[in-house]
Amino acid sequence: MGNLYGKLMHCKQLLDGHLFEGFLRKVRRWTMAEEQNVEQFKGQARLPKFAAPKRYDLFLKPDLASCTFSGSVRIALDVVGHTRFLVLNAADLAVNEGSVWFRSSSSSEEIRPAEIVAVEGDEILIIRFDRLLPRGEGVLGIGFQGTLNDKMKGFYRSTYEHKGEKKNMAVTQFEPVDARRCFPCWDEPVCKATFKITLEVPSELVALSNMPVVEEKPDGPSRIVSFEESPIMSTYLVAIVVGLFDYVEASTSDGTKVRVYCQVGKSSQGKFALDVAVKTLDLYKKYFAVPYPLPKLDMVAIPDFAAGAMENYGLVTYREKALLFDDRHSAASNKQQVAIVVAHELAHQWFGNLVTMEWWTHLWLNEGFATWVSYLAADSLFPEWNVWTQFLDETTTGFRLDALAESHPIEVDINHASEIDEIFDAISYKKGASVIRMLQSYLGAECFQKALASYIKKFAYSNAKTEDLWTVLEKESGEPVKKLMHSWTKQKGYPVLSVRVRDGNLEFEQTQFLSSGSSGVGQWIVPITLCCCSYKSQEKFLLETKSDKMNLTKLCDSFDSGKGGKFWIKVNVNQTGFYRVNYDDELASKLQYAIESHQLTATDRFGVLDDSFALSMACKQTLSSLLSLMAAYKEESEYTLLSHIITTSYKVVDVVADAAPELVDDIKTFFISLLQYPAEKLGWDPKDGESHLDAMLRGEILTALAEFGHDITINEAVKRFHAFMEDRDTSFLPPDTRKAAYVALMKTVNNSNKVGYESLLRIYRETDLSQEKARILSALASSPDPSVVLEALNFLLSSEVRNQDAVYGLAGISREGRDIAWMWLKENWEHISKTCGSGFLITRFISSIVSPFSSDEKGDEIENFFATRSKPSISRTLKQSIERVRVNAKWVKSIQSETSLGEVVEELAYRVY
Ligand code: BES
Ligand code: ZN
């Protein structure tokens, strides 16, 4: 070792770089571990790398009655450094001191540790031996016990009813860093190893893991189940499920067995997901040019589940709502969600499981890609769903978060395990997926696919960094991918392009877009596309500087600056780029004309509206001009567009209610008028053979009309609801319209007439379909009476609502219930942070309740309340939510200074009606 150190010292003299110093210090730490004590391992982001696991032989015995488990693990290691220490992860486990041993393959002697230290805060186990471990292969053995917790992470219990009896099942959820709560392990994605798992379970229960069963032996009232050894994989993808289940089964074209497991009696609800899975596996095999690597794929519905779904290798787990589809009671939107979630998790079997990120900084490689690929699959399976238009909802959510100063770069530094949960956010998923779409459309679909296939091949059974992907893409395309993409993944934010016509030129200037209206300092390499007067005439170029211009006469025949004819220019064609565009007045009014005369594609109509909304919120445009633009969509019939008009109008109504309450009625009248035509066309009853998108649209439009207090809709909803309550005939209230009816009903509920509320609770209690429960929860807090809202919020915390489901209720809090919801959050904070505090569910309590406020006073109050209550796992969400409050406050003030707003609103409400 002294030798290596000496050589490095020599190199240092040659290079004498500052960076080298740091490197050297690290090397000294690794190589001289034998001289040091346990303290050096504390407070580190990553485990020391002087031993690498190769194979885990894991035995676990869950006890579902006492909710505990015991286990033992033998880990085959490669000892690469000279060390007296082994440092690995473990948390909430009782390690049996006497059970720990190490045996080197070079000697048969078992070495016992001199000391075992569990460092709670760092979730590590330091095993100190009193002599150096021989380098080379060895085996570490550990026995341990743990609790099947109720926190939906690690090895946990989920509950269900079987024949009227309450039962427990044992389930794992390890991503990001909770495998260490089930067994001691090197719990980092880069520490890939094989897993040979054996379980001892009660004989009557189904036991599942990543791989197929190789052997089952009865053992008294138990059964010993051993599974095949897995290929090498990361710890966060290991999974185990033990409980009572039914299943449905099918095979892919090359014989991979696929099963969907769900609660006993519900197996027919698994058929849709099964069909999607089989087709998707075949599709990905072609797309990635690598077959699905495992002998089987199981997908299981878990009653208590923190995320939506989890891509464990060969054993994907889901919330029931995201996997099961019921022909009579599920809505078209539920069907689409199931398809997208399945396609997403299966994409991970390649992107994530076969090729894994090197560290959590590259999480977006997993999540951004799976999100993007899931649309590719859904588009191929269900072309009539127009999912690439719907994809813009993802982009927009990415835009919205990334317009905050408190956003973060796609590639984000992670210094502590507790910071990881929060980056499963719209930046990693939605901005990630959007910049991939941007790159794919810049490089071309074919080239992109080829490069992905060779990336998968090159890094299969290994790990990759963002840079590795760029290298492969650069090689395949010959384009400067690295330079281009670094500007999007290494800095936060995105640009807005100001575009104007000057002296026969089209001038572009980029600045960072921030919702606060300030200008950031970021600069990007922007793949600009534009079309002029028709989609036939398109241009593309890379904007590599702050500003640039191009000659318009060359670009567009119909351009004649003197006459200002009917030409129009749309920048960011079909919204494939992750940037916004701010047109000068002339270009903006021409685009409005292009929308009115039906010349723009749906994606471009979406982009124009969304950019205008964002610019208005950032006080770069008046609200009046946004509203005038919205009027251009009065003949709109496309699902995604109308859906987006609805979300936009909710936000506008909200801010106007704070800025100029006297205008709210007229604004609502205007928005109702925009929805009138499709509402009449769609009605309440499904039409024979109607499209999936019409079915989804009906639900959203009726919900919006109910939200805006449209009497005819509310009365019809209440009438239908009562008919439905009488005999539960679904033809009165088909699933697509149910949420609308529930919201409408809640608009009529107040403290002195709570019949509607009670009826909803009755349905909630009677149904065993999780989608129906979610639908009811999402309507329950939408009453205009704060005391009813309070009752609904308390219900969310009752034992009747699973912890995983409270989030649905929070999303539906009425404007009138805002203040009481904040009071409720403060009063229940202790309890909420205890019950939901250890995962990302808690961040939803903050973002849903805090973000809608719109005054600086409220911002201060929220800041004060959390001053002593913040912690690493919520601090990012908290800062973002408070920033949103301040952005809203600014927007309110700017609207108040818009002198002609009243006239514009009156005109619009009157004109269209
Ligand atoms: N890998 C995630 C699950 C996950 C999320 C684990 C957060 C740990 C923390 C999974 O692939 C996923 O992304 N699930 C999504 C569904 C998807 C369709 C967007 C989810 O849970 O919402
Ligand atoms: Zn995912």
Side-chain angles (χ1 to χ4, degrees):
M1 200 48 47
N3 206 2
L4 169 62
Y5 189 61
K7 278 186 192 148
L8 288 166
M9 283 306 285
H10 180 65
C11 291
K12 176 181 151 36
Q13 277 159 11
L14 294 179
L15 291 166
D16 205 25
H18 174 71
L19 277 176
F20 200 75
E21 288 272 1
F23 174 62
L24 211 54
R25 266 199 305 276
K26 265 194 186 156
V27 169
R28 189 166 355 166
R29 223 176 55 215
W30 297 336
T31 56
M32 301 229 166
E34 70 269 25
E35 287 167 20
Q36 302 182 352
N37 59 29
V38 296
E39 290 308 313
Q40 65 176 312
F41 302 118
K42 296 184 180 170
Q44 307 291 324
R46 312 227 353 206
L47 292 172
K49 296 288 179 295
F50 35 65
K54 297 291 158 205
R55 176 182 192 266
Y56 290 81
D57 201 333
L58 175 64
F59 170 79
L60 287 169
K61 180 180 173 186
D63 181 335
L64 295 175
S66 66
C67 290
T68 56
F69 62 94
S70 56
S72 61
V73 64
R74 271 179 297 165
I75 312 173
L77 303 172
D78 217 354
V79 180
V80 287
H82 258 203
T83 178
R84 289 185 290 123
F85 293 96
L86 288 174
V87 183
L88 65 164
N89 293 110
D92 301 336
L93 291 175
V95 169
N96 314 336
E97 297 248 334
S99 73
V100 181
W101 50 266
F102 179 83
R103 186 184 293 133
S104 164
S105 61
S106 57
S107 80
S108 57
E109 186 198 357
E110 215 170 77
I111 314 175
R112 294 280 168 172
E115 183 186 19
I116 302 174
V117 183
V119 187
E120 231 172 76
D122 294 325
E123 306 185 337
I124 54 172
L125 204 59
I126 305 173
I127 307 177
R128 183 172 66 81
F129 298 89
D130 56 13
R131 61 177 129 149
L132 283 175
L133 298 177
R135 278 201 287 180
E137 288 170 21
V139 179
L140 171 70
I142 306 177
F144 52 91
Q145 270 103 39
T147 307
L148 291 175
N149 69 73
D150 60 355
K151 301 281 183 271
M152 295 182 275
K153 63 184 200 174
F155 202 11
Y156 73 95
R157 62 175 186 265
S158 172
T159 57
Y160 60 107
E161 268 192 24
H162 181 63
K163 296 186 179 153
E165 207 183 310
K166 249 190 133 179
K167 300 229 169 220
N168 291 327
M169 64 170 83
V171 189
T172 55
Q173 167 61 42
F174 289 169
E175 193 181 16
V177 285
D178 293 317
R180 61 191 66 174
R181 280 168 221 284
C182 181
F183 60 99
C185 56
W186 274 258
D187 199 10
E188 291 184 6
V190 77
C191 299
K192 284 193 172 188
T194 66
F195 290 84
K196 173 90 185 76
I197 294 175
T198 308
L199 300 177
E200 183 175 335
V201 299
S203 328
E204 72 283 7
L205 299 186
V206 175
L208 301 170
S209 184
N210 307 85
M211 298 296 286
V213 172
V214 268
E215 194 189 15
E216 299 199 62
K217 271 193 297 210
D219 181 20
S222 305
R223 207 164 90 247
I224 312 271
V225 186
S226 13
F227 299 90
E228 261 176 52
E229 183 165 338
S230 76
I232 69 160
M233 57 188 272
S234 305
T235 45
Y236 79 90
L237 294 166
V238 172
I240 289 158
V241 174
V242 180
L244 272 182
F245 295 100
D246 277 351
Y247 66 84
V248 284
E249 179 183 87
S251 287
T252 62
S253 61
D254 51 3
T256 307
K257 237 186 220 168
V258 184
R259 285 182 180 176
V260 173
Y261 285 86
C262 54
Q263 281 187 55
V264 175
K266 287 191 183 177
S267 67
S268 68
Q269 293 179 17
K271 285 184 188 153
F272 175 68
L274 180 66
D275 187 47
V276 170
V278 166
K279 290 180 176 146
T280 304
L281 285 181
D282 281 336
L283 181 85
Y284 288 160
K285 178 184 160 184
K286 275 195 216 115
Y287 191 80
F288 295 121
V290 174
Y292 173 70
L294 301 186
K296 62 96 179 170
L297 169 70
D298 293 326
M299 311 204 292
V300 197
I302 308 293
D304 300 274
F305 198 80
M310 175 65 211
E311 70 267 24
N312 313 301
Y313 222 172
L315 179 56
V316 183
T317 43
Y318 295 81
R319 271 184 185 226
E320 288 193 6
K321 180 174 177 280
L323 185 66
L324 304 184
F325 181 80
D326 181 284
D327 282 332
R328 283 187 64 225
H329 296 287
S330 299
S333 59
N334 297 132
K335 186 176 207 166
Q336 185 175 308
Q337 193 198 15
V338 169
I340 292 273
V341 178
V342 169
H344 176 110
E345 303 312 332
L346 299 196
H348 280 312
Q349 307 301 307
W350 284 260
F351 239 101
N353 302 8
L354 187 58
V355 179
T356 311
M357 70 232 148
E358 189 271 340
W359 178 241
W360 299 104
T361 296
H362 308 283
L363 172 73
W364 85 281
L365 277 181
N366 266 13
E367 299 305 349
F369 257 89
T371 301
W372 176 77
V373 174
S374 69
Y375 279 79
L376 201 79
D379 188 47
S380 159
L381 263 51
F382 306 99
E384 70 283 8
W385 292 1
N386 290 352
V387 291
W388 283 117
T389 309
Q390 296 192 53
F391 181 83
L392 295 181
D393 282 338
E394 309 269 359
T395 306
T396 261
T397 316
F399 270 150
R400 214 134 278 160
L401 180 53
D402 208 22
L404 299 181
E406 291 290 350
S407 179
H408 63 81
I410 283 184
E411 293 182 63
V412 57
D413 282 343
I414 295 290
N415 295 310
H416 194 272
S418 62
E419 297 167 8
I420 304 173
D421 264 341
E422 272 197 304
I423 58 161
F424 284 83
D425 65 358
I427 299 301
S428 304
Y429 280 74
K430 294 162 195 262
K431 182 184 182 185
S434 304
V435 299
I436 289 159
R437 178 165 180 253
M438 172 163 77
L439 183 62
Q440 187 223 21
S441 89
Y442 179 70
L443 298 178
E446 205 176 313
C447 163
F448 196 73
Q449 178 181 358
K450 270 198 194 143
L452 283 191
S454 69
Y455 166 82
I456 295 279
K457 198 166 157 206
K458 184 167 174 197
F459 293 97
Y461 302 107
S462 164
N463 297 77
K465 296 183 170 161
T466 306
E467 186 102 6
D468 296 322
L469 178 62
W470 301 154
T471 307
V472 178
L473 279 157
E474 191 154 307
K475 196 167 152 219
E476 184 68 40
S477 66
E479 294 278 342
V481 175
K482 260 182 214 171
K483 191 173 86 177
L484 167 67
M485 293 312 287
H486 279 173
S487 77
W488 297 93
T489 62
K490 287 190 186 289
Q491 66 180 336
K492 62 183 176 184
Y494 58 90
V496 53
L497 281 194
S498 301
V499 184
R500 59 180 196 177
V501 179
R502 275 291 142 85
D503 311 323
N505 285 322
L506 197 57
E507 295 184 355
F508 303 89
E509 188 184 23
Q510 61 160 311
T511 40
Q512 180 174 358
F513 180 79
L514 287 168
S515 284
S516 62
S518 329
S519 303
V521 294
Q523 199 169 306
W524 287 262
I525 300 182
V526 192
I528 294 184
T529 52
L530 59 100
C531 63
C532 190
C533 300
S534 102
Y535 286 87
K536 282 188 208 110
S537 135
Q538 292 196 21
E539 280 291 324
K540 64 176 203 175
F541 67 100
L542 282 185
L543 176 68
E544 302 199 39
T545 45
K546 184 152 177 70
S547 55
D548 205 349
K549 59 184 167 191
M550 65 197 308
N551 188 298
L552 251 183
T553 334
K554 270 196 221 141
L555 176 73
C556 179
D557 302 337
S558 7
F559 174 72
D560 180 341
S561 58
K563 294 184 198 131
K566 291 213 156 175
F567 86 104
W568 53 265
I569 287 171
K570 171 70 180 53
V571 181
N572 195 6
V573 180
N574 286 328
Q575 296 299 116
T576 53
F578 196 73
Y579 55 91
R580 295 196 180 279
V581 185
N582 187 2
Y583 299 94
D584 70 8
D585 288 345
E586 187 189 354
L587 289 169
S589 76
K590 306 241 151 154
L591 261 182
Q592 185 157 338
Y593 154 78
I595 291 166
E596 280 158 351
S597 54
H598 307 285
Q599 298 187 63
L600 293 195
T601 57
T603 40
D604 279 335
R605 296 200 297 281
F606 187 108
V608 173
L609 175 64
D610 195 50
D611 285 352
S612 173
F613 171 70
L615 288 163
S616 169
M617 190 179 209
C619 313
K620 300 283 179 198
Q621 230 182 48
T622 59
L623 181 63
S624 311
S625 67
L626 170 65
L627 292 172
S628 310
L629 174 68
M630 287 178 84
Y633 292 75
K634 60 182 178 292
E635 289 170 24
E636 188 55 66
S637 61
E638 176 84 20
Y639 164 75
T640 308
L641 263 292
L642 282 163
S643 168
H644 196 54
I645 288 169
I646 290 168
T647 13
T648 307
S649 25
Y650 287 158
K651 292 190 180 123
V652 170
V653 168
D654 237 6
V655 72
V656 170
D658 286 323
E662 69 285 1
L663 299 180
V664 168
D665 284 344
D666 277 353
I667 291 250
K668 284 186 179 169
T669 307
F670 168 54
F671 289 145
I672 289 172
S673 77
L674 284 182
L675 301 177
Q676 201 75 40
Y677 169 70
E680 277 165 15
K681 196 179 115 214
L682 294 167
W684 276 82
D685 298 305
K687 313 276 174 296
D688 273 349
E690 73 178 358
S691 71
H692 167 83
L693 293 177
D694 274 354
M696 290 212 296
L697 185 55
R698 170 178 302 114
E700 289 183 34
I701 288 192
L702 291 174
T703 308
L705 292 175
E707 286 284 1
F708 293 146
H710 186 243
D711 288 335
I712 303 170
T713 303
I714 292 179
N715 294 339
E716 178 68 17
V718 172
K719 202 176 86 197
R720 282 173 173 264
F721 180 81
H722 288 310
F724 176 67
M725 277 306 279
E726 289 282 302
D727 62 3
R728 300 297 164 89
D729 182 338
T730 58
S731 71
F732 291 119
L733 224 48
D736 294 310
T737 56
R738 246 176 249 174
K739 159 121 191 239
Y742 300 163
V743 169
L745 182 74
M746 285 309 300
K747 296 291 165 200
T748 68
V749 169
N750 57 45
N751 203 24
S752 44
N753 171 17
K754 288 205 293 205
V755 186
Y757 178 80
E758 302 295 343
S759 309
L760 276 185
L761 284 189
R762 220 172 93 199
I763 306 181
Y764 179 88
R765 288 172 178 141
E766 283 169 14
T767 184
D768 70 341
L769 182 69
S770 62
Q771 288 153 351
E772 183 71 62
K773 284 193 193 286
R775 218 149 36 208
I776 291 170
L777 292 179
S778 71
L780 216 52
S782 61
S783 159
D785 184 334
S787 65
V788 180
V789 173
L790 183 61
E791 200 168 333
L793 292 175
N794 285 329
F795 181 71
L796 294 181
L797 296 184
S798 76
S799 60
E800 288 190 74
V801 178
R802 294 181 190 266
N803 279 348
Q804 62 162 14
D805 288 337
V807 293
Y808 301 125
L810 301 173
I813 299 170
S814 67
R815 187 190 150 69
E816 296 84 348
R818 221 161 61 172
D819 287 310
I820 207 135
W822 167 231
M823 249 177 58
W824 172 85
L825 183 68
K826 287 191 286 189
E827 271 169 24
N828 291 285
W829 181 252
E830 289 276 305
H831 171 74
I832 293 169
S833 49
K834 243 188 247 145
T835 47
C836 304
S838 59
F840 46 83
L841 284 176
I842 193 163
T843 57
R844 299 279 283 273
F845 281 82
I846 299 174
S847 58
S848 302
I849 293 180
V850 165
S851 318
F853 286 111
S854 58
S855 72
D856 282 322
E857 296 73 41
K858 211 65 185 185
D860 295 342
E861 188 190 325
I862 296 161
E863 224 162 73
N864 285 338
F865 178 77
F866 283 109
T868 52
R869 293 173 177 88
S870 189
K871 49 185 177 181
S873 58
I874 61 168
S875 75
R876 207 185 273 281
T877 308
L878 192 58
K879 285 186 200 144
Q880 289 163 349
S881 302
I882 293 170
E883 188 181 349
R884 285 187 204 273
V885 175
R886 308 224 180 262
V887 166
N888 290 342
K890 220 167 152 193
W891 194 16
V892 163
K893 280 188 209 126
S894 128
I895 291 173
Q896 282 167 342
S897 68
E898 248 182 72
T899 43
S900 59
L901 181 63
E903 277 163 53
V904 173
V905 170
E906 200 182 328
E907 220 284 299
L908 289 170
Y910 169 78
R911 184 188 349 157
V912 197
Y913 239 46

